[in-house]
Amino acid sequence: MLKDKIIIVTGGNGLLGKQIVTDINSKGGVGICADISVETDLAKGMLQCDITGLDGIKQAIENIINHFGRIDGLVNNAYPRTKDWGVDFEELTEESLYKNVNWQMNSYILFCQQVIKHMKSNGGAIVNIASIYGVVGNDFGIYEGTNINPPAPYSAIKGGLINFTRFLASKYGKENIRANVVSPGGI
């Protein structure tokens, strides 16, 4: 099913990302770990990539096209965030809000935009990783006694990604580009 498919996994060196790359590779695909914390070695499926700006996204895609000749899939999984991520809602600054929405939602949109340009000729698949909190309200009770403070923008970002993925599916399905979203619960 995934035999020889070239699939980018943003945030591929993180908790979920490593498992996604491993699963792709176990099914015969070529999982590309695109992550800011790795050194580029495309022969080993590693690509240093900063998704927080369009230049980094374009460079990553160009490197993959130059090495493999195509992109068959994208798993948008990266989770960049500022150092103050998780502050109490009433302490959230405008700068932090703008930066996190830009990094976490707009980078997914831009990565999809750039990948779709290469998928239009042969089709492909996009999976955006969202969250159950993009669908339902937070259950703050499960975090009592922990140092976890669910960030206010998180739900808005993940809900936005869910609806953005619906847009992609509607617009590009006829061009043989599938778009799906996965909304996991707590991990």
Side-chain angles (χ1 to χ4, degrees), residues 1-101:
M1 183 163 139
L2 295 181
K3 183 160 177 45
D4 299 325
K5 299 288 186 186
I6 308 302
I7 304 168
I8 304 168
V9 180
T10 67
N13 200 38
L15 181 67
L16 285 176
K18 284 180 183 176
Q19 297 305 312
I20 295 167
V21 170
T22 297
D23 190 56
I24 290 166
N25 292 335
S26 74
K27 293 179 174 144
V30 179
I32 306 299
C33 170
D35 199 291
I36 198 166
S37 69
V38 301
E39 295 296 321
T40 298
D41 185 345
L42 286 171
K44 293 182 179 177
M46 301 299 235
L47 177 65
Q48 206 256 349
C49 173
D50 181 354
I51 70 160
T52 63
L54 184 58
D55 289 342
I57 292 167
K58 285 182 173 181
Q59 185 62 55
I61 291 169
E62 181 180 325
N63 287 342
I64 292 169
I65 292 296
N66 288 342
H67 188 84
F68 295 102
R70 69 183 198 285
I71 297 169
D72 301 303
L74 167 65
V75 179
N76 253 329
N77 170 68
Y79 185 41
R81 54 206 175 271
T82 57
K83 291 186 186 326
D84 66 343
W85 186 244
V87 299
D88 186 72
F89 176 64
E90 294 175 25
E91 303 301 317
L92 179 66
T93 66
E94 180 181 23
E95 179 184 357
S96 178
L97 174 65
Y98 288 174
K99 192 171 277 189
N100 283 295
V101 169

Side-chain angles (χ1 to χ4, degrees), residues 16 76-77 108 127-135 154 157-163 165 180-185 187:
L16 285 176
N76 253 329
N77 170 68
Y108 276 41
V127 177
N128 288 320
I129 304 297
S131 168
I132 191 67
Y133 288 145
V135 180
Y154 185 80
I157 292 164
K158 296 305 185 175
L161 289 173
I162 292 167
N163 278 318
T165 305
N180 292 284
V181 65
V182 175
S183 297
I187 297 174

